[in-house]
Amino acid sequence: MQQFRFRLQRVLQWQERVCRLEEDQLRQRASDVAQTDEKLARLAAQRVAIEQEVANQPALSPADLYALDEYRKRAAGERQALDREREARLAAVTAQREKVLAERRRLQVIEKLRERALHEHTRAMDRETEALSLESYLSTWVSGTNVSRMR
């Protein structure tokens, strides 16, 4: 009786590695989105802090008002850039998620092939064991019959 050996074992291992790499890339892309979200949150917090500071001033000079206006314009531009960056990163996450799903499907196909091959091997081993058992029984039975005829 020979031990089970899956002919596509190296392919299965390769596909498992590919899946892990794609999943790692998905995690990295999700981390990139989280970083962009943090930047957006910091920008919003900074804007609120500056707006409160300005609101607490009893009187503002024209230079202060001009600086506030310039800050608002710059902050709005940063916000738009970060929004575009976030959308691009979300699109990358979606594309990577599709890659991960495709690689997982490929892996599942190979795993099913392995399961089938193992099942067939097990059935063949069972048949071989059954045949050996039957042969052993018959040889014992024939030997016992021959011994009783000799007497």
Side-chain angles (χ1 to χ4, degrees):
M1 292 185 214
Q2 55 181 310
Q3 190 175 12
F4 174 70
R5 184 178 168 279
F6 184 50
R7 291 180 291 152
L8 299 175
Q9 186 63 36
R10 289 179 64 192
V11 174
L12 177 64
Q13 290 169 340
W14 172 259
Q15 190 61 42
E16 287 171 342
R17 274 189 229 118
V18 169
C19 279
R20 279 194 303 273
L21 289 173
E22 294 296 338
E23 288 167 352
D24 289 345
Q25 288 182 7
L26 178 60
R27 279 189 286 281
Q28 179 58 47
R29 285 183 173 54
S31 173
D32 292 345
V33 171
Q35 287 175 354
T36 303
D37 287 341
E38 288 175 22
K39 289 177 187 176
L40 283 166
R42 280 195 304 269
L43 181 64
Q46 182 183 26
R47 183 170 183 202
V48 166
I50 289 176
E51 293 288 340
Q52 285 179 347
E53 184 180 325
V54 168
N56 292 336
Q57 295 289 326
L60 294 174
S61 69
D64 291 338
L65 289 175
Y66 179 76
L68 178 62
D69 185 53
E70 288 300 314
Y71 169 76
R72 286 179 178 164
K73 288 177 186 175
R74 186 182 56 79
E78 284 182 39
R79 170 79 184 185
Q80 288 175 348
L82 286 172
D83 284 340
R84 284 190 302 272
E85 179 181 324
R86 186 174 189 279
E87 290 302 317
R89 288 182 170 190
L90 283 173
V93 166
T94 301
Q96 188 63 34
R97 187 173 289 124
E98 291 299 319
K99 284 183 182 180
V100 167
L101 292 174
E103 295 302 332
R104 282 183 186 166
R105 282 191 290 271
R106 286 185 190 101
L107 179 62
Q108 287 173 346
V109 167
I110 297 170
E111 287 174 339
K112 284 186 181 189
L113 288 172
R114 184 183 187 286
E115 287 174 16
R116 281 186 195 163
L118 179 60
H119 181 71
E120 289 174 13
H121 176 76
T122 303
R123 285 181 45 204
M125 296 296 286
D126 290 347
R127 283 193 300 268
E128 186 178 337
T129 302
E130 190 176 316
L132 286 173
S133 296
L134 181 60
E135 188 177 310
S136 175
Y137 172 76
L138 289 176
S139 68
T140 304
W141 184 74
V142 168
S143 296
T145 308
N146 287 340
V147 169
S148 63
R149 286 188 184 171
M150 289 187 200
R151 292 186 188 172

